[in-house]
Amino acid sequence: MADEPQKKPHAIFIPYPLQGHVIPSVQLAIKLASQGFKITFLNTHAVHHQKAKACPDIGTDIFAKVRESGLDIRYMTISDGLPVGFDRSLNHDQFMAALLHVFSAHVEEAVAGILASGEKVTCLIADTFFVWPSKIATKFGLLYVSFWTEPALVFSLYYHLDLLRIHSHFGCLDCREDAIDYIPGVRVIEPKDTTSYLQETDTTSVCHQIIFNAFQDTRNADFIICNTVQELETDTISALQGKLPFYATGPIFPTGFTERVVATSLWSESDCSQWLDTRPPGSVLYVSFGSYAHVTKRDLLEIANGLSQSNVSFVWVLRSDIVSSDDNDPLPEGYKQEVSDRAMIIPWCCQPAVLGHRAIGGFLTHCGWNSVLESIWCKVPLLCFPLYTDQFTNRKLVVDDWKIGINLSNHKLVTMEEAAKNIRCLMNRESGDKYRNAVQEVKTTMENALKSNGSSKQNMDQFIKDLKAKIQKRYAAVSN
C-alpha cells in the first residue's frame, strides 16, 4: 500500500476565487488529471453561483463532462466567508479581508472532511496568493504545490521584497525613484514598471498584508508551478531556480485552445462571430479590460472618444461594473448609435474565440496575464492600458522586452487624441507590421515550449517525476 499514492497522486486543488486565477487553475487541474492525477477541485460557493448564472446548464459540477472522458476530477464548493450575494467587486477590501482571515477555516474543514472519508490525499495545490497553504499542508501531512498564475518577473519582485526595502525602493515614506538593478536575474527595471502594490507608499492595506504573508508562506512550498515559458523569462527563472523548486510550464491552455469542456466564465457570453465574419482580416480592434479591474469614468470616456476618432472597427467588452457596480451605463448618451456602423459593444464574450478570429488585428487590453498569453497565442499585437496589480509589469514585458505591442498612452492621463493616434498606429498595416512580426516570433517560442522536447513539456514531466519521488520518500518514511 505504501507505493499506491506514488502511482496515482491525489491532489486537493484550491484556486484563488477570481476569474483570472480560476481559468488557468481549471486547465492545470485537467492537465494533471490527464497525467494520471486524481484531483479534488475546491471552488467557492460564490464563484460557482456566478458561473451557474452565466451558464445554467453546468449544474452542480463543472467537471461532469471531463469525467466522462475518463479523467478523475472531483468537484466541491465551500464558503469564502461572505454571503453568496455579497458584491465582491464593489467591496474589494472586505472580500480580500475574508480571504486573508476567514477562508482558511473553511478550507481546513473541507480538507479534514476529505481525509476523514478515507481518501489518500498526497498534496495540496493552491494559488500562491493564499497565505495559509503551507500551514494546512503541514497540519495534514501533505506536500504543498504553489501555483503562480502570473509571470516569473512579478514573482521575483515580490519574493525579493526584502531587497526592495533595504534599497529604499519600497516600504518607506520617501522611496527612491531611480532604476532597480540588484534583483537576481532581473534586468534593470524602473519603479513605474513594478506592480501597483510596490508603487504605493501606504503598505498597510489588506492586499499588502496578503502579499507579505503569501510570499513568506510560499517559501515553504515543496514545488512552485508558474504559468510562463522558460525562454521568455530565461534569466529570471534561472535565478529563481537557484533558490526554489520552480517549474515554468506555460502557457497552460486547453488542448484545443478555444474548446470549452469546462465552464470558466463568470458572465454570460455574447457571440460576435457573425458580425466579425463580415469584417476584413485584421481590421477589427478587440477591447477588453478583463474580469475584475475598474476603469475611472474619466479614462473610459477618453478611450471611448478615442475609439470613435480612430475610425477603426472594434468589438468592446464592456462589463456592467467596469466603472462601478453603481454605474451600469457609463458611456455618453448616443455613443452606441454614433459608432454602430463599425462597432459591437457587448457585456462579455469567449475571449479566446474572439482573439482567434481572422478579423481581429489588435487587442486593447489591461494587460492581465491570461490576456497577454492568449493574445500572443493568436498572434494579435497588443495596445496596453494597465490598471493595477501585475499589469504594469506585464506591460513592460509586452512593450519594452518582447516589443509585441505599444502603450495606449505614454502619459499619466490618457487623452482621446493620443488614444486615437495609437489605435491607428497599431491597426495600420505599415506601422503595425513590426508588432505583428514580433508577436509571431513569440508565438513560435510558446509553441516550441509545448512540444514533446520543449521546455514547458519537459518541466511539467520533471515536476511530476519530482513530486512522485517526494511522495514515495514520505510514504516510505511513514511505513518505516
Side-chain angles (χ1 to χ4, degrees), residues 14 23 36 53 88 116 119 121 144 179 199 228 246 264 381 396 401 404 415 442 444-445 452 460 463 471:
I14 311 171
I23 289 173
K53 278 204 313 187
R88 288 155 178 78
E119 289 284 351
V121 180
Y144 167 37
Q199 296 181 48
T228 192
F246 194 94
T264 53
K396 176 196 181 297
D401 295 8
I404 57 173
T415 63
V442 179
T444 301
T445 300
S452 58
M460 178 61 82
F463 159 70
I471 291 169

Short mmCIF file of all heavy atoms in Angstrom, two decimals, residues 14 23 36 53 88 116 119 121 144 179 199 228 246 264 381 396 401 404 415 442 444-445 452 460 463 471:
data_model
loop_
_atom_site.label_atom_id
_atom_site.label_comp_id
_atom_site.label_asym_id
_atom_site.label_seq_id
_atom_site.Cartn_x
_atom_site.Cartn_y
_atom_site.Cartn_z
N ILE A 14 -6.97 24.24 -4.93
CA ILE A 14 -7.76 25.39 -4.49
C ILE A 14 -7.32 26.64 -5.26
O ILE A 14 -6.26 27.21 -5.00
CB ILE A 14 -7.61 25.63 -2.98
CG1 ILE A 14 -7.83 24.32 -2.21
CG2 ILE A 14 -8.60 26.70 -2.51
CD1 ILE A 14 -7.50 24.40 -0.76
N ILE A 23 -9.39 30.35 -14.29
CA ILE A 23 -9.23 29.81 -15.65
C ILE A 23 -7.96 28.95 -15.76
O ILE A 23 -8.04 27.77 -16.14
CB ILE A 23 -9.24 30.94 -16.70
CG1 ILE A 23 -10.65 31.51 -16.83
CG2 ILE A 23 -8.75 30.44 -18.05
CD1 ILE A 23 -10.75 32.75 -17.70
N GLY A 36 -2.51 11.39 -15.00
CA GLY A 36 -2.70 10.31 -14.02
C GLY A 36 -2.98 10.75 -12.60
O GLY A 36 -3.04 9.92 -11.70
N LYS A 53 -25.01 31.12 -13.04
CA LYS A 53 -25.86 32.16 -13.61
C LYS A 53 -25.47 32.42 -15.06
O LYS A 53 -26.32 32.63 -15.92
CB LYS A 53 -25.72 33.46 -12.81
CG LYS A 53 -26.58 33.49 -11.56
CD LYS A 53 -26.91 34.92 -11.10
CE LYS A 53 -25.73 35.84 -11.08
NZ LYS A 53 -26.03 37.15 -10.49
N ARG A 88 -18.66 41.50 -4.28
CA ARG A 88 -17.21 41.46 -4.03
C ARG A 88 -16.45 42.49 -4.85
O ARG A 88 -15.40 42.96 -4.43
CB ARG A 88 -16.69 40.04 -4.33
CG ARG A 88 -17.14 39.03 -3.26
CD ARG A 88 -17.17 37.60 -3.79
NE ARG A 88 -17.55 36.67 -2.71
CZ ARG A 88 -18.79 36.48 -2.28
NH1 ARG A 88 -19.79 37.17 -2.84
NH2 ARG A 88 -19.05 35.64 -1.31
N ALA A 116 -11.05 12.44 6.21
CA ALA A 116 -11.85 11.59 7.11
C ALA A 116 -12.69 10.57 6.34
O ALA A 116 -13.04 9.51 6.87
CB ALA A 116 -12.76 12.46 7.98
N GLU A 119 -10.08 9.06 1.85
CA GLU A 119 -9.27 9.37 0.68
C GLU A 119 -7.80 9.51 1.05
O GLU A 119 -7.46 10.12 2.06
CB GLU A 119 -9.75 10.68 0.04
CG GLU A 119 -11.09 10.57 -0.65
CD GLU A 119 -11.01 9.86 -2.00
OE1 GLU A 119 -9.90 9.60 -2.48
OE2 GLU A 119 -12.08 9.56 -2.55
N VAL A 121 -5.02 11.39 0.28
CA VAL A 121 -4.57 12.63 -0.37
C VAL A 121 -3.08 12.79 -0.13
O VAL A 121 -2.59 12.55 0.97
CB VAL A 121 -5.33 13.84 0.19
CG1 VAL A 121 -4.87 15.13 -0.48
CG2 VAL A 121 -6.84 13.66 0.01
N TYR A 144 3.02 20.53 -0.46
CA TYR A 144 2.38 21.77 -0.91
C TYR A 144 2.95 22.21 -2.25
O TYR A 144 4.16 22.44 -2.38
CB TYR A 144 2.55 22.87 0.14
CG TYR A 144 2.19 24.27 -0.34
CD1 TYR A 144 1.12 24.48 -1.22
CD2 TYR A 144 2.92 25.38 0.07
CE1 TYR A 144 0.81 25.75 -1.67
CE2 TYR A 144 2.61 26.66 -0.36
CZ TYR A 144 1.55 26.83 -1.24
OH TYR A 144 1.24 28.09 -1.70
N ALA A 179 16.34 53.57 -11.07
CA ALA A 179 16.11 52.21 -11.54
C ALA A 179 16.55 51.17 -10.51
O ALA A 179 17.47 51.40 -9.71
CB ALA A 179 16.84 52.00 -12.86
N GLN A 199 4.34 50.14 -5.86
CA GLN A 199 4.49 51.58 -6.12
C GLN A 199 3.78 52.43 -5.07
O GLN A 199 3.96 53.65 -5.03
CB GLN A 199 3.92 51.91 -7.51
CG GLN A 199 4.66 51.26 -8.66
CD GLN A 199 4.08 51.64 -10.01
OE1 GLN A 199 3.83 52.82 -10.28
NE2 GLN A 199 3.86 50.67 -10.87
N THR A 228 4.24 30.38 -17.20
CA THR A 228 5.07 31.17 -18.11
C THR A 228 5.94 30.22 -18.91
O THR A 228 5.87 29.01 -18.74
CB THR A 228 5.91 32.20 -17.33
OG1 THR A 228 6.50 33.14 -18.25
CG2 THR A 228 7.04 31.54 -16.55
N PHE A 246 11.25 25.64 -8.83
CA PHE A 246 10.40 26.49 -9.65
C PHE A 246 10.30 25.91 -11.06
O PHE A 246 11.31 25.72 -11.73
CB PHE A 246 11.01 27.89 -9.69
CG PHE A 246 10.10 28.99 -10.21
CD1 PHE A 246 9.34 29.76 -9.34
CD2 PHE A 246 10.06 29.27 -11.57
CE1 PHE A 246 8.54 30.78 -9.80
CE2 PHE A 246 9.25 30.29 -12.05
CZ PHE A 246 8.49 31.05 -11.17
N THR A 264 -15.79 28.19 -17.43
CA THR A 264 -14.93 29.00 -16.56
C THR A 264 -15.36 30.47 -16.54
O THR A 264 -14.81 31.26 -15.76
CB THR A 264 -13.46 28.92 -17.02
OG1 THR A 264 -13.38 29.24 -18.41
CG2 THR A 264 -12.88 27.53 -16.79
N PRO A 381 -1.12 41.57 -31.86
CA PRO A 381 -0.34 42.54 -31.09
C PRO A 381 -1.21 43.33 -30.12
O PRO A 381 -2.44 43.42 -30.31
CB PRO A 381 0.25 43.45 -32.17
CG PRO A 381 -0.69 43.33 -33.33
CD PRO A 381 -1.25 41.93 -33.28
N LYS A 396 5.43 46.03 -19.28
CA LYS A 396 6.87 46.16 -19.56
C LYS A 396 7.36 45.00 -20.43
O LYS A 396 8.11 45.19 -21.40
CB LYS A 396 7.66 46.20 -18.26
CG LYS A 396 9.17 46.24 -18.47
CD LYS A 396 9.94 45.89 -17.22
CE LYS A 396 11.45 45.96 -17.44
NZ LYS A 396 11.94 44.99 -18.45
N ASP A 401 10.28 44.62 -23.51
CA ASP A 401 11.14 43.45 -23.66
C ASP A 401 10.86 42.67 -24.94
O ASP A 401 11.78 42.36 -25.69
CB ASP A 401 10.99 42.53 -22.44
CG ASP A 401 11.48 43.16 -21.15
OD1 ASP A 401 11.80 44.37 -21.18
OD2 ASP A 401 11.54 42.49 -20.12
N ILE A 404 6.02 43.49 -28.67
CA ILE A 404 4.88 42.94 -29.39
C ILE A 404 3.64 43.83 -29.24
O ILE A 404 2.52 43.42 -29.50
CB ILE A 404 4.55 41.51 -28.92
CG1 ILE A 404 4.28 41.46 -27.40
CG2 ILE A 404 5.67 40.56 -29.28
CD1 ILE A 404 3.78 40.11 -26.90
N THR A 415 -5.55 60.64 -23.19
CA THR A 415 -6.45 61.59 -23.84
C THR A 415 -7.03 60.93 -25.08
O THR A 415 -6.44 59.99 -25.64
CB THR A 415 -5.72 62.87 -24.27
OG1 THR A 415 -4.71 62.53 -25.25
CG2 THR A 415 -5.06 63.55 -23.08
N VAL A 442 7.22 35.35 -30.95
CA VAL A 442 6.96 34.93 -29.57
C VAL A 442 5.99 33.76 -29.55
O VAL A 442 6.15 32.83 -28.74
CB VAL A 442 6.43 36.11 -28.72
CG1 VAL A 442 6.15 35.66 -27.30
CG2 VAL A 442 7.44 37.26 -28.71
N THR A 444 5.80 31.44 -31.78
CA THR A 444 6.61 30.26 -32.15
C THR A 444 7.39 29.74 -30.94
O THR A 444 7.47 28.53 -30.72
CB THR A 444 7.58 30.62 -33.29
OG1 THR A 444 6.82 31.07 -34.42
CG2 THR A 444 8.43 29.42 -33.69
N THR A 445 7.90 30.66 -30.13
CA THR A 445 8.61 30.26 -28.90
C THR A 445 7.68 29.49 -27.97
O THR A 445 8.05 28.47 -27.39
CB THR A 445 9.17 31.51 -28.18
OG1 THR A 445 10.07 32.18 -29.04
CG2 THR A 445 9.88 31.13 -26.89
N SER A 452 7.00 17.99 -27.53
CA SER A 452 7.46 16.88 -26.68
C SER A 452 8.87 17.11 -26.13
O SER A 452 9.19 16.66 -25.03
CB SER A 452 7.42 15.56 -27.45
OG SER A 452 8.21 15.66 -28.62
N MET A 460 7.11 20.18 -16.96
CA MET A 460 5.95 19.52 -16.37
C MET A 460 6.27 18.06 -16.05
O MET A 460 5.93 17.56 -14.96
CB MET A 460 4.75 19.61 -17.32
CG MET A 460 3.49 18.90 -16.81
SD MET A 460 2.85 19.57 -15.23
CE MET A 460 1.93 20.99 -15.83
N PHE A 463 8.48 18.02 -13.02
CA PHE A 463 7.70 18.30 -11.81
C PHE A 463 6.98 17.04 -11.33
O PHE A 463 7.02 16.70 -10.14
CB PHE A 463 6.68 19.41 -12.07
CG PHE A 463 5.53 19.42 -11.11
CD1 PHE A 463 5.72 19.79 -9.78
CD2 PHE A 463 4.26 19.01 -11.51
CE1 PHE A 463 4.66 19.77 -8.87
CE2 PHE A 463 3.20 18.98 -10.61
CZ PHE A 463 3.40 19.37 -9.30
N ILE A 471 6.73 12.04 -2.82
CA ILE A 471 5.61 11.31 -2.20
C ILE A 471 6.08 9.93 -1.75
O ILE A 471 5.80 9.48 -0.63
CB ILE A 471 4.43 11.19 -3.17
CG1 ILE A 471 3.78 12.56 -3.40
CG2 ILE A 471 3.39 10.21 -2.65
CD1 ILE A 471 2.77 12.60 -4.54
#
